[in-house]
Structures are given as C-alpha cells and as structure tokens.
Amino acid sequence: MGASLSDVANRAGVSTATVSRALRGLPSVAEGTRLRIVRIARELDYTITPSASRLASGRTHTVGVVAPYVNRWFFGEVIFGVEEVLRSRGFDLLLYNLADATSRDRFFDAMPLRRRVDAVAVLSMPLSPEQAAVLSGLDVPLGLVGADAEGFACVRIDDVAGAGSAVRHLIMLGHRDIAHISGGGPATHSFTTPRDRARAYRDVLEDAGIGYRPELEAVGDYTVAGGERAMSALLSGATRPSAVFAQSDEMAFGAMRAIRHSGLRVPEDISVVGFDNHELADVLDLTTVEQPVAEQGNLVAQILLDLVESGGEPPPTMTLPTGLVVRGSTRPVSPR
Amino acid sequence: MGASLSDVANRAGVSTATVSRALRGLPSVAEGTRLRIVRIARELDYTITPSASRLASGRTHTVGVVAPYVNRWFFGEVIFGVEEVLRSRGFDLLLYNLADATSRDRFFDAMPLRRRVDAVAVLSMPLSPEQAAVLSGLDVPLGLVGADAEGFACVRIDDVAGAGSAVRHLIMLGHRDIAHISGGGPATHSFTTPRDRARAYRDVLEDAGIGYRPELEAVGDYTVAGGERAMSALLSGATRPSAVFAQSDEMAFGAMRAIRHSGLRVPEDISVVGFDNHELADVLDLTTVEQPVAEQGNLVAQILLDLVESGGEPPPTMTLPTGLVVRGSTRPVSPR
DNA sequence: TTGAAAGCGCTAACAA
DNA sequence: TTGTTAGCGCTTTCAA
C-alpha cells in the first residue's frame, strides 16, 4: 500500500541511496535534488518503514523505560518527563512495568530489550549487581533515576539532605519523640533512597543529641496502606511519638488516616512530614520535602539521547535540590 | 556480537528456515529437531533481532498506546492494565503522551505509528472525526477506553448510570441545591464522558422534580486546581449549594479544599461526591462512584491482541459496572 | 554529488 | 518434515 523508497527514487529519477540521504538530511545531496525528493516524498505520502531502517542501520531510535510502577504519582511524573523529551527528539518509548519479583526476574532473564533499544532508563528501581550486569550487557547507554550506579547516567536528589531538612524541621518545632516510617523492606535493600533517608533520620537525631530509638521506626512500603499500618503499629508502641517523618507522601497520607482513626488529630496531637510534594500534599495540607520529579525524567532522557547520538561516557551524577514545604500538618510540640 | 539464526542453523546442521520454525513453535518441526535447536539456541545465547523479524513478517509485535496524560491517577491505572496484558503476551508497548493541542496535532499530522504497530489503544482521549480517520488509515485494530466510536473496540463504563447514582444519592439525603463541577471545556467537547455525566446530572434533577439550574454548574477541567476554582466560583454565586457532584475525584479534592478555605466544612455545610474512586478518595473520606480502571486497560489490550492474532471485527462495546461508595463526605442536608 | 550493489537477519512460498 | 530461494525496505560502502 504505502510508497517505498524506491517509489520515490523512480519518480525523482534518482537512486534509492540518494533518496535515503536526502530524506535523512545528510550533507552530500545537492540542494535542488533534496527539495525535489522531499516534495515527491510528500506527494507520495512516503513513510519510512522503521524495521527496515533499523535492520540496515542498527539504530532503533527507541529507548526502553523500566519502572517498578507506572501507576504511582512519582513514576507517572517521571515517565511524563522522559516521554516529553523522547517524543520531541523523535524517539520511541518502550515501557516496561515490573511490579513484582516474578516479572522482574522474568524480565532480566529473557531481557526483551536486546537489540530493541538504543538506550535504557531505569526509574527508581532497586537493581541487583546481576541485573545491572545484564543491562550493561545490552551495550547501550544506561540511565538511572533516583540512585547511583557504576556505568549508569544518574539523575537523583540528595536524599540525605532532603530527609534531614524534614527531621530538623520537626526538631526545631520542639519535637523529641519523632517516629520514622521508612520505605524499603528487604526487597529494596540494595536501593539507596530508603537507606539514605533512613540514615539522615538517624544522623539528625543523633546530632541533635536526641538519639535514635529503633522502636520509633516502622516500614511502610511506600504505599498509603503501608503507611497506615506502620503508623498504627507506632501508635500501639510504648512511646507515643509527637511527630512522624514518612519517607513518602503516600505513606504520610496513610499515617494521617491512622492517626485520625485512633482518635488523635494532625497536627494537634501528632505532626506529620512527608516526602515528594505529591500533587495532593497541598490538598491534605501536608508538610513535605519537595523534589523536582518530571525534571528528573527530562534530564535522564536528554543525557541518554546525547549519549546515543554523540557517544561518550556517562556524565557524573546529577543531583537536584530539594526544598522543605511547610504546611499545616506540622506545628510546635504541645505540652503533655 | 550476538549469534544469528544462521549461527544456530550451522551448529544444528539444519537450514535457517527450520530454526526459525522451531524457535517460533510452528507445528511442522520434528520434536527431536526442535529440542536440539532450542538447546543450541540457548547455548549460543541467541536472541531474535526484532527489526529483521518485523521486516520479513510485517508484524511488529507492538501496540501503540496514546494517552492525553500519563501522570494522572486514572491514566496510570489504565496503562498499568494495558501493559500487564501486553507484556504477558510478548508484545511491546509504545507510549505516546499527548498533553496539549500542539503535540496532538503534530502527532496526528506525522502519524509516527505508521508501519510501527500492530494495534493502537486510545485512552480516554477526545478524537475528532479527522483524527479517528487518520487512525483508521493505519489499518490495524483500534481500541478505545472511555468512549464509543465506530470502528474501534471500545471498553467503557456507563457514565450516565454512574453519575446518576451519585446525584440520586445526594437527592436521597435531602439535598436540593446540588451543584455540578463538570470536566470538559470546549476542547473535550466531542468526548462522551463529560457529556454523559453532565446529562445524567441534569436528567436526574429534572426527574426528581428539582429542575436544573445552569448557575449551579462550573467547569473544573478534571484537575485539583480546576475543581478548586470551580468550587470557589460556585461559592460566590447567588445560591450556596448544599451539595456538589464533581465529575472526577481530583476535582472533588479541589472542591473540598475550596470549601474549607472559605470557612465551611465538609460534610456539615456541603456534601461532596466525586467520581473514580481514586486511591486517595478513601484517605480523604470522599463519597464517590467507583469504576474498574486497570480492568479497562486489561480488557482493551486483550481484545486488541485477539484481533491482531486472529483477525475479525471489533466486538461490541464492553460496558463495565460502576458502584457508589458512600463515605464521610456526604450526609443528610442540614436545616439552614 | 550520485549510483551500483551488497547486505542487515529474518520469514514465507514453494519444492522436495 | 526440511531445504531452497527470494525477498522485506532500507543503509552503506565503494566507485564513478
């Protein structure tokens, strides 16, 4: 049905090689020839057949995006940012959502990305050394959002600084019994985000002379339900915290609900700080740590496409700034 | 670097055609031959080169997914559902996010999906007749979530029934001054969802003998900020509503915030009902209309792949049920 | 600046 | 059940 390169070549009275060069904008085509070819191609409604081009050139003009979730706020934003850049530069975006361990294993075992993409972006997903090695074996530029890894172009925030600002805010409000809802269970153990944020929580408490008490920590799994469970557990502990720092806004939302369900109020009885500045943090009046999210997607995509097009080594990790957004969910500790 | 079909064929002492057949599981290969070939392919770490396969066969094993947003709850869930089915059946998912009119125009003008996909799924996006025609021109199975259209395999909910149940709930609670925050501006005019929900709002009011008053309607654009603006406008109107039905939970969240900012309370002063059962509706205690979201993605993907693999005509529209979820944001009207 | 020709790695008739 | 033989539609040397 559709016209092919040779149709255009015949009509223009030139070889397919010239048409190919003209349409790709290569320099070695006379301007008149190019104009004529472009006009004829348009007349014939010519469209390149990607698979033929890919087979002949070896370039796929496609970037694989691997995410542990596509249906959470943070990931939707990052994917948005990545897609924006890819589309504007004429690249396809191949999406892989690896929610559970099974699909993750299957993915890294079969590695469906082989010979299929020019670059891969991994979004805030814990990567075992073996998995990182499998990706390296693809022999294409690799990008990573939300962590550092050897051989990857990394875009991230300073989790230690961000989490530190949240905990210091609570300390400055006079809180001493500050609980922590962390993200990662054992599955995410190798990932830096939960570790860094947890470390900042502990270090800031130690530095303030408050000391870190393990019984004030609970795991929330980065979900609303997980945050709710974690907060319930904390509330039934021996020490009732006067404030809680959650490693994500979703967990903070869950924590707020648990607090209310137990008959307490936010912030009168317990202050809550989250992390992300989720689009609904404002609605829920949640104090949180803001991070640029879509921008991280933009950046990693840009870096990857530059590497694809110009080669070279991955640049040093880009660390973007965070900021504390104070809203109504935190207030000075009240005397008991 | 990687082994090719002919490497496997040489090693196995058969032709490339036999290797191709064996690896694809075609019936006409002796079991012993197949086993040997599969073993050798594994030994050689053979991976198919998709572009070669696509060029030779004409099948891309790829589905294009076109969405107006990837970073909103509803769309994230649908994409999740689509991806799940595609990955399980070995298809690639090519994602296109067309947030603004410019990118939409460019997309339909250049139609980058040509010769690139075996099917296309359009997610809750208004389609002009011209745009629908461009897609039809791709000559591949077409799917649509959230609306009906000739020539598309459609998966949707009954928006009229869903919205009707929300408004009837308010009427049953004794409300008479029921406002409506609608989704669509002029840009989405051709799309059925906002129209159907708006129609249900009006019809139910009429049927209840309450009558429909245009001054109780405002446009909220399906966003939190839009819902907030719409609610503010409604609150500064002549009649203060005692209840409001928002066409999406996000707009309902915005409305709740506007209500609180104006010094009123939900539900004491104003009841609020949303639509979607967003993951945070529960956290915000929002009464809403629940719809199966990821399931719609699952279904449209399944239907499309069946059409790709077996041909045939798109099946009739699948209409999934909705349900009213009553939470704390609605209560009987209080005497003024 | 252009053309001829040889693939890229696979699939699909057709034959055997 | 297997092999032979053409391509699929482009890109890319190499030569002119």
Side-chain angles (χ1 to χ4, degrees):
Chain A
M1 23 160 287
S4 72
L5 247 204
S6 63
D7 295 329
V8 179
N10 286 151
R11 188 85 108 74
V14 296
S15 71
T16 59
T18 301
V19 175
S20 175
R21 293 182 188 115
L23 261 21
R24 280 181 296 154
L26 296 194
S28 58
V29 179
E31 197 47 26
T33 317
R34 151 167 305 119
L35 259 31
R36 190 158 43 88
I37 289 173
V38 167
R39 179 172 49 71
I40 292 175
R42 202 194 311 281
E43 282 171 17
L44 261 35
D45 197 28
Y46 169 76
T47 320
I48 196 168
T49 303
S51 47
S53 168
R54 289 167 189 186
L55 177 58
S57 71
R59 322 224 96 289
T60 64
H61 265 248
T62 301
V63 173
V65 173
V66 184
Y69 308 100
V70 297
N71 51 350
R72 291 207 191 154
W73 178 80
F74 176 88
F75 294 92
E77 288 292 320
V78 177
I79 292 169
F80 171 80
V82 170
E83 197 272 349
E84 197 174 14
V85 171
L86 294 190
R87 191 160 34 75
S88 80
R89 291 177 62 170
F91 274 70
D92 285 339
L93 158 13
L94 221 46
L95 183 66
Y96 289 85
N97 180 210
L98 308 178
D100 50 77
T102 313
S103 53
R104 227 166 284 195
D105 291 345
R106 225 198 302 272
F107 175 83
F108 284 101
D109 192 48
M111 208 7 93
L113 257 26
R114 279 200 285 184
R115 302 169 193 251
R116 192 161 310 207
V117 294
D118 289 342
V120 179
V122 178
L123 309 186
S124 275
M125 197 171 91
L127 240 35
S128 72
E130 295 75 29
Q131 293 170 338
V134 169
L135 290 174
S136 299
L138 293 175
D139 206 34
V140 297
L142 266 18
L144 189 52
V145 170
D148 282 307
E150 203 53 50
F152 286 72
C154 301
V155 176
R156 57 170 301 172
I157 55 167
D158 187 337
D159 288 292
V160 170
S165 69
V167 179
R168 271 192 298 274
H169 169 64
L170 293 172
I171 292 174
M172 243 130 58
L173 292 174
H175 293 280
R176 290 298 172 267
D177 300 320
I178 301 173
H180 173 215
I181 301 181
S182 70
T188 56
H189 192 66
S190 67
F191 208 49
T192 49
T193 299
R195 272 217 316 269
D196 284 355
R197 296 182 189 174
R199 185 154 55 81
Y201 161 77
R202 294 168 196 176
D203 288 353
V204 168
L205 286 184
E206 297 285 358
D207 289 355
I210 296 176
Y212 148 65
R213 284 165 289 167
E215 68 272 23
L216 286 182
E217 287 196 301
V219 172
D221 214 27
Y222 285 122
T223 65
V224 174
E228 187 167 9
R229 275 195 304 274
M231 192 70 227
S232 300
L234 290 168
L235 287 175
S236 57
T239 310
R240 197 184 87 196
S242 72
V244 57
F245 163 57
Q247 279 198 16
S248 81
D249 285 351
E250 267 119 330
M251 294 193 292
F253 298 152
M256 290 168 97
R257 188 161 58 174
I259 292 167
R260 294 214 183 86
H261 277 191
S262 76
L264 298 168
R265 290 155 307 161
V266 176
E268 290 82 352
D269 299 305
I270 301 185
S271 286
V272 178
V273 188
F275 201 117
D276 281 348
N277 202 22
H278 187 287
E279 75 169 310
L280 293 176
D282 188 24
V283 175
L284 282 147
D285 209 19
L286 176 68
T287 295
T288 189
V289 179
E290 178 178 34
Q291 65 166 314
V293 184
E295 288 84 342
Q296 293 183 69
N298 281 327
L299 270 172
V300 79
Q302 268 157 22
I303 295 171
L304 285 176
L305 295 193
D306 290 346
L307 289 173
V308 167
E309 286 170 354
S310 314
E313 289 305 304
T317 294
M318 297 208 51
T319 304
L320 304 186
T322 60
L324 187 69
V325 180
V326 178
R327 297 202 181 93
S329 68
T330 48
R331 67 157 60 166
V333 68
S334 41
R336 296 263 171 103
Chain B
M1 25 160 287
S4 71
L5 249 204
S6 62
D7 295 330
V8 179
N10 287 151
R11 190 84 106 76
V14 296
S15 70
T16 58
T18 300
V19 176
S20 175
R21 292 179 191 119
L23 261 22
R24 282 181 294 155
L26 297 194
S28 56
V29 178
E31 198 46 27
T33 315
R34 148 165 308 117
L35 258 30
R36 190 159 42 88
I37 290 174
V38 166
R39 180 171 50 71
I40 291 174
R42 202 194 313 280
E43 281 171 19
L44 261 36
D45 198 26
Y46 168 76
T47 321
I48 197 168
T49 302
S51 48
S53 168
R54 289 168 190 185
L55 179 58
S57 71
R59 321 225 96 289
T60 64
H61 264 251
T62 301
V63 173
V65 173
V66 184
Y69 308 100
V70 297
N71 51 350
R72 292 208 190 152
W73 179 80
F74 176 87
F75 293 92
E77 288 292 321
V78 178
I79 292 168
F80 171 80
V82 170
E83 197 272 350
E84 196 175 15
V85 171
L86 294 190
R87 190 161 35 75
S88 79
R89 291 176 61 170
F91 274 70
D92 284 341
L93 158 14
L94 220 47
L95 184 66
Y96 289 86
N97 180 209
L98 308 176
D100 51 78
T102 312
S103 53
R104 226 165 286 195
D105 290 346
R106 224 198 303 272
F107 175 83
F108 284 102
D109 193 46
M111 208 6 93
L113 257 26
R114 278 200 284 182
R115 302 169 193 252
R116 194 160 307 208
V117 294
D118 288 342
V120 179
V122 178
L123 309 186
S124 276
M125 198 170 92
L127 240 34
S128 72
E130 295 74 30
Q131 293 171 337
V134 169
L135 290 175
S136 298
L138 293 174
D139 206 33
V140 296
L142 265 21
L144 189 52
V145 169
D148 281 307
E150 202 53 49
F152 287 70
C154 302
V155 176
R156 57 172 300 174
I157 55 167
D158 186 337
D159 287 291
V160 171
S165 69
V167 179
R168 270 192 297 274
H169 169 64
L170 293 172
I171 292 173
M172 244 133 51
L173 291 174
H175 293 279
R176 290 300 173 267
D177 300 319
I178 301 172
H180 173 216
I181 301 181
S182 71
T188 55
H189 193 66
S190 67
F191 208 51
T192 49
T193 298
R195 273 217 317 269
D196 284 354
R197 295 182 189 174
R199 186 154 56 81
Y201 162 77
R202 294 168 196 175
D203 288 353
V204 168
L205 286 183
E206 297 286 358
D207 289 355
I210 296 175
Y212 148 65
R213 283 165 291 167
E215 69 271 20
L216 286 182
E217 288 196 300
V219 172
D221 216 27
Y222 284 121
T223 65
V224 174
E228 187 167 12
R229 275 195 304 275
M231 192 70 228
S232 300
L234 290 168
L235 287 174
S236 58
T239 311
R240 196 186 88 196
S242 71
V244 57
F245 163 57
Q247 280 197 16
S248 81
D249 285 351
E250 267 119 330
M251 294 194 292
F253 297 153
M256 290 167 99
R257 187 161 59 176
I259 292 167
R260 294 214 184 86
H261 276 191
S262 76
L264 298 169
R265 291 155 305 161
V266 176
E268 290 82 353
D269 299 305
I270 302 186
S271 286
V272 178
V273 189
F275 200 118
D276 280 348
N277 201 22
H278 187 290
E279 75 170 312
L280 293 176
D282 188 23
V283 175
L284 282 147
D285 209 17
L286 176 68
T287 295
T288 190
V289 179
E290 177 179 34
Q291 64 166 317
V293 184
E295 288 85 342
Q296 293 182 68
N298 280 328
L299 268 173
V300 80
Q302 267 158 21
I303 295 171
L304 285 176
L305 296 193
D306 289 346
L307 289 173
V308 166
E309 287 170 353
S310 314
E313 290 306 303
T317 295
M318 296 208 50
T319 305
L320 304 186
T322 61
L324 186 70
V325 180
V326 178
R327 297 202 180 93
S329 68
T330 48
R331 67 158 61 168
V333 67
S334 40
R336 294 262 170 102

